[in-house]
Amino acid sequence: MVIFMVDSNATISEVLANLQSIFSGVESLGKAVEFGDKVAIPIYQFNFGTGGGGGGGDREGQASNAVGFGLGGSIGPTAVVILSKDAPGAEGIYIHEFKTNKLGEAFAELMLRFWEFIETQVGGQKKLSAEQKEKLMNI
Amino acid sequence: MLSTHEVERLARACETAAESATAFSRGIDDFNATAEGLPAVARPIVKRDFEANTGMNADEWKVFLGKLNARYVAIQEAATRLAQALAQGANETDINAATTALKEVATPLIGGTIAAIKAMATIEAYLEGLPAKINMIPESFMETGVRDELVDSVPAYIERAEALKTLLEETDVQLHAIIE
């Protein structure tokens, strides 16, 4: 599967629309979340392989800086697509797998904090004391 | 004067409690399997939430429930021997020896029953609040089918926790009545 973006000024929304259309059939693309100048799109149950390329040359008198990247994969680990608002087009797209990428670990940590927030909303339970825990382990 | 019926009732309750501890331990296995099947980003959240709100992580729960099962089995065996001695009209020395053996094997459970009941109440309360938490997980991280399956499975685990808590309370009363 290959996406070509001839216009290097393609907007983030167009890129998002492309990705959504590609993955809508398998419902594996999550909702986009904005973090400052980045847009993160979580992807679950997909294993990605990526490849990219670019080319120069003229077409009908216009300079072309067409670039493309390919996605291929199967059901597999979670990944996240990061789109950079400051770098429109393919140059601003990064795909990271959580299991092997530091960014994924950071994102997981972010979600842990999010979960802690949820706990404050739902209400946590009283923890077992060390003494109680010792009694349980010696029962 | 100990009654055979009373001791037999304790033996039966301990047998049920041992099975209940094993059943709840299988529930912990289910939790582990579910957690491992979640997307990588959700996995540590679920594990951390479980430990933070139940006082122990899944492995510690498994250890506790394994020990509880073994303790109940040991008490059940000692109670069965005492019941047999009573039923056969054994002499006082044999009955006293069987009673002492029962006391010895039951002492760790008696000492830990309050903590165990509290632990079961804690995990039961956690389970009761779990559906609300599951429903707050963004769609991006949990498919609707998985979410529904998880929420639907929670009441069965609450029942298991409640059953084991009740058995802990019942056997505690029965043990005190026989031993003291």
Side-chain angles (χ1 to χ4, degrees):
Chain A
M1 188 178 297
V2 178
I3 304 168
F4 285 104
M5 283 164 287
V6 175
D7 181 4
S8 62
N9 291 319
T11 64
I12 292 298
S13 61
E14 286 170 336
V15 175
L16 275 173
N18 279 338
L19 290 171
Q20 288 283 9
S21 66
I22 290 165
F23 293 107
S24 61
V26 292
E27 297 181 346
S28 63
L29 196 64
K31 286 181 181 174
V33 182
E34 291 194 33
F35 296 96
D37 63 342
K38 301 282 193 300
V39 177
I41 309 166
I43 298 174
Y44 47 91
Q45 297 183 331
F46 242 77
N47 209 352
F48 282 85
T50 63
D58 293 348
R59 191 175 59 183
E60 294 178 0
Q62 281 190 318
S64 171
N65 53 357
V67 290
F69 70 94
L71 303 174
S74 58
I75 301 297
T78 306
V80 62
V81 177
I82 303 292
L83 305 175
S84 178
K85 292 178 182 175
D86 296 331
E91 290 175 1
I93 301 174
Y94 303 91
I95 299 174
H96 302 272
E97 288 187 14
F98 284 155
K99 282 184 179 176
T100 56
N101 193 283
K102 291 291 179 190
L103 179 64
E105 292 171 18
F107 199 65
E109 181 60 30
L110 182 70
M111 290 310 296
L112 280 172
R113 292 180 187 181
F114 172 66
W115 192 256
E116 284 169 2
F117 168 74
I118 289 176
E119 282 181 344
T120 63
Q121 303 301 307
V122 176
Q125 304 302 324
K126 196 176 179 181
K127 294 176 185 176
L128 298 179
S129 69
E131 186 186 357
Q132 288 171 330
K133 201 167 171 179
E134 191 181 341
K135 281 185 177 175
L136 295 178
M137 291 303 163
N138 292 320
I139 209 160
Chain B
M1 182 70 183
L2 285 174
S3 91
T4 307
H5 173 72
E6 196 177 15
V7 180
E8 284 175 341
R9 197 160 64 95
L10 171 66
R12 282 196 299 274
C14 287
E15 187 178 8
T16 307
E19 288 168 0
S20 183
T22 302
F24 199 76
S25 184
R26 282 198 295 271
I28 301 293
D29 289 336
D30 293 343
F31 165 80
N32 267 334
T34 302
E36 290 303 321
L38 290 172
V41 70
R43 209 175 300 146
I45 298 170
V46 171
K47 289 184 176 181
R48 187 157 140 179
D49 181 65
F50 179 83
E51 182 175 358
N53 290 285
T54 67
M56 293 188 285
N57 63 37
D59 290 341
E60 288 171 330
W61 271 101
K62 289 282 292 176
V63 171
F64 159 59
L65 292 164
K67 288 187 173 184
L68 188 62
N69 168 271
R71 180 61 55 193
Y72 270 124
V73 168
I75 296 170
Q76 185 242 326
E77 289 172 353
T80 301
R81 284 193 291 273
L82 176 58
Q84 287 170 347
L86 289 167
Q88 291 164 4
N91 61 45
E92 194 176 333
T93 306
D94 288 347
I95 290 172
N96 285 342
T99 306
T100 301
L102 176 60
K103 280 182 186 176
E104 283 177 0
V105 79
T107 298
L109 179 64
I110 292 170
T113 294
I114 292 173
I117 290 170
K118 191 165 185 175
M120 295 314 300
T122 302
I123 199 167
E124 191 181 341
Y126 170 74
L127 288 167
E128 283 168 354
L130 200 54
K133 286 186 175 182
I134 292 170
N135 285 326
M136 289 178 78
I137 297 173
E139 283 180 25
S140 313
F141 299 108
M142 184 174 282
E143 291 177 17
T144 305
V146 174
R147 183 193 308 272
D148 292 346
E149 193 179 330
L150 277 176
V151 170
D152 291 347
S153 70
V154 170
Y157 295 120
I158 293 173
E159 273 182 32
R160 287 187 202 176
E162 178 63 27
L164 186 51
K165 184 160 70 78
T166 303
L167 284 162
L168 280 160
E169 290 165 347
E170 285 178 7
T171 53
D172 190 53
V173 171
Q174 290 174 16
L175 276 168
H176 277 98
I178 291 169
I179 290 171
E180 289 172 355

